[in-house]
Amino acid sequence: MENIFSPLFYGKKIKKYDTDNLNADNDYIKEIYIKNINEDINILKILPSIWTKIYKRDLIIENNIKFPPYISGEDLNFVVESYLNANGILFLNEVFVTDYYMRDSQDDKSVTKNVSFKLVFDSLKSYKNCLDLCNKYEFKHSALILNPFLLNWIKLFLKFKGNNNEKEKILTLAKQMKKSYNDGFIAKLLMSFTIFIIKFF
């Protein structure tokens, strides 16, 4: 699904050695600085993993940025709210830092591996919260953030074996999201498709 629809809903990928990232001497730019997120929205195509970023303490405290109480999508909301409040973002090209812990106990696996109602509902709720943040800050590129997550959410939902009551709650939330998702025709189309999937699959 994502191979066919991702370019339509997400836009073209950033190439590793895009000519836009070359300086006057044709050297690859090691650092990209932007004053605010509107200067280069392509930064939103980077996965919103919390551990790949360093935040200024004052930014978090002064803007009261907190993780929402979801079991999925909490990183997305924290990162997006940080971007929307940031007065300067520095992106480091080709800097790799790895600190990966592999859980080896079956009882210690991530809760997001279990396709439960809470996971499916919380994931969509977190995207709705992210959309509300974008609308609050009058950020006009919410589709760039949310469309790829919604495509992945559809795949998650198709694995969900919930009852009619649970699906009705998910459907109600999706309809609420569609009403406030005003980032163009493609975004509305994707939400309509999402609602169709919830109703009939």
Side-chain angles (χ1 to χ4, degrees):
M1 181 189 295
E2 64 184 14
N3 290 337
I4 299 171
F5 294 114
S6 290
L8 175 65
F9 291 119
Y10 194 24
K12 66 178 183 177
K13 293 181 179 178
I14 303 173
K15 294 180 180 177
K16 186 176 180 184
Y17 291 101
D18 198 312
T19 54
D20 290 342
N21 287 330
L22 298 176
N23 62 21
D25 298 322
N26 284 333
D27 293 327
Y28 194 57
I29 298 171
K30 301 289 188 216
E31 297 181 356
I32 299 171
Y33 176 80
I34 58 176
K35 184 72 174 172
N36 62 67
I37 195 62
N38 287 293
E39 284 187 9
D40 189 352
I41 59 171
N42 279 319
I43 199 171
L44 294 167
K45 293 183 179 181
I46 301 167
L47 286 175
S49 307
I50 193 73
W51 53 269
T52 62
K53 300 161 186 66
I54 298 173
Y55 302 86
K56 195 171 182 180
R57 183 174 180 270
D58 291 347
L59 170 70
I60 306 304
I61 293 174
E62 289 172 8
N63 295 287
N64 196 30
I65 301 172
K66 297 178 179 178
F67 287 100
Y70 311 128
I71 63 171
S72 180
E74 71 281 11
D75 278 13
L76 172 66
N77 282 272
F78 187 94
V79 170
V80 168
E81 190 169 8
S82 299
Y83 281 158
L84 292 171
N85 282 285
N87 186 23
I89 301 169
L90 179 65
F91 175 73
L92 303 177
N93 277 329
E94 297 190 321
V95 174
F96 297 94
V97 179
T98 303
D99 183 14
Y100 191 81
Y101 175 72
M102 179 69 76
R103 295 181 174 95
D104 54 7
S105 168
Q106 193 61 37
D107 296 331
D108 193 27
K109 295 295 183 186
S110 169
V111 292
T112 57
K113 299 297 182 186
N114 176 25
V115 184
S116 64
F117 168 72
K118 183 164 177 58
L119 173 62
V120 174
F121 188 77
D122 268 17
S123 296
L124 191 61
K125 195 172 181 182
S126 73
Y127 305 150
K128 170 70 165 61
N129 188 74
C130 184
L131 175 60
D132 291 342
L133 273 173
C134 291
N135 289 339
K136 174 185 173 183
Y137 287 91
E138 299 182 347
F139 184 68
K140 305 300 183 186
H141 306 284
S142 56
L144 184 64
I145 305 168
L146 293 172
N147 284 357
F149 283 97
L150 284 169
L151 285 174
N152 283 327
W153 184 87
I154 290 169
K155 291 192 293 184
L156 177 70
F157 179 80
L158 290 174
K159 297 176 184 176
F160 176 56
K161 306 297 181 186
N163 58 46
N164 288 336
N165 185 47
E166 290 172 332
K167 289 182 179 178
E168 192 60 39
K169 289 179 180 177
I170 294 168
L171 180 61
T172 299
L173 180 60
K175 288 178 177 178
Q176 290 171 357
M177 187 170 178
K178 183 181 178 183
K179 285 182 180 178
S180 54
Y181 203 6
N182 301 312
D183 193 5
F185 172 74
I186 297 296
K188 288 288 188 184
L189 179 65
L190 181 54
M191 281 310 307
S192 295
F193 180 62
T194 302
I195 289 169
F196 174 82
I197 293 291
I198 297 168
K199 280 184 177 179
F200 299 109
F201 285 83

